[in-house]
Amino acid sequence: DIVLTQSPDSLAVSLGERATINCKSSQNIFYSSNNKNYLAWYQQRPGQPPKLLIYWASTRKSGVPDRFTGSGSGTDFTLTISSLQAEDVAVYYCHQYYNAPPWTFGQGTKVEIK
Amino acid sequence: QVQLVESGGGVVQPGRSLRLSCSASGFTFSIYGMHWVRQAPGKGLEWVAGMSYDGSDEYYVESVKGRFIISRDNSKNTLYLQMNRLRAEDTAVYFCAKDLDSYSFDGSAYDYWGLGTLVTVSS
């Protein structure tokens, strides 16, 4: 099974500052045949279901603010929130949907306001 | 708009069964793969089971193989999860989630999620 390890487990960032979350995969999740990385990022606010932010590692879902950016390839990925807003307080998960199941999630990163 | 509404959760004793339903609306249910993802209290997300758009393929996480059965009725726009021989470690909120890409069961992010239904396995 592919294991996703996120770092850090939690971080506190001042309003307007940058937040960076990393996700490392135990296996390559890049398909050279279609040039895609099979990785998504979700935001889960307290008491709510997850919300898709980024797919194919760097494609922002329609309606997601452009302060959210996904990057990386192969085994190392990053979600960056360029200017943290109060509504961004949440737990963020990476998710790999490469190849055969089981499809797996990272353990989550909790983002708080400093 | 897309809506996914789970139901069927509750408190059940270990070893008993429960069937969850996910009613879908606002999209063409029959052309999207669907999944069940669970979240134990205070924990992270765990993919549990998935089914292709036409029901021809089904997959499970190892810990539920032989106990859980995923199915769908495209005429009723509904996804199901039959959970048998429940264990305490199955206690979680169960979400249903929709594939982002149509006709593409293998390899898709999940673009819509329901609010979830809580399953508590306890004597």
Side-chain angles (χ1 to χ4, degrees), chain B residues 8-36:
Chain B
V11 180
V12 61
Q13 292 179 328
R16 304 299 290 264
S17 299
L18 209 57
R19 187 173 89 150
L20 306 183
S21 299
C22 171
S23 178
S25 60
F27 67 102
T28 305
F29 181 74
S30 61
I31 66 172
Y32 289 93
M34 297 292 296
H35 305 265
W36 290 99

Side-chain angles (χ1 to χ4, degrees), chain A residues 1 42 94-97 99-106, chain B residues 33-40 44-52 57-65 68 70 79 81 93-97 99 105-106 108 110 113:
Chain A
D1 298 358
Y42 301 86
C94 56
H95 165 221
Q96 66 80 19
Y97 46 97
N99 204 354
W103 295 294
T104 51
F105 294 87
Chain B
M34 297 292 296
H35 305 265
W36 290 99
V37 178
R38 68 185 177 185
Q39 187 168 38
L45 302 171
E46 180 184 36
W47 174 83
V48 173
M51 175 160 270
S52 58
D57 294 300
E58 57 190 273
Y59 297 103
Y60 303 92
V61 70
E62 192 64 35
S63 61
V64 309
K65 280 181 184 176
F68 290 12
I70 188 173
L79 179 74
L81 186 67
V93 173
Y94 284 73
F95 299 100
C96 70
D99 270 354
F105 179 61
D106 289 337
S108 179
Y110 310 150
W113 299 61

Side-chain angles (χ1 to χ4, degrees), chain A residues 8 10-15 17-19 84 110-114:
Chain A
S10 65
L11 73 160
V13 176
S14 300
L15 289 173
E17 296 300 306
R18 177 184 302 256
L84 193 76
K110 187 175 185 179
V111 174
E112 300 173 308
I113 304 295
K114 183 187 291 183

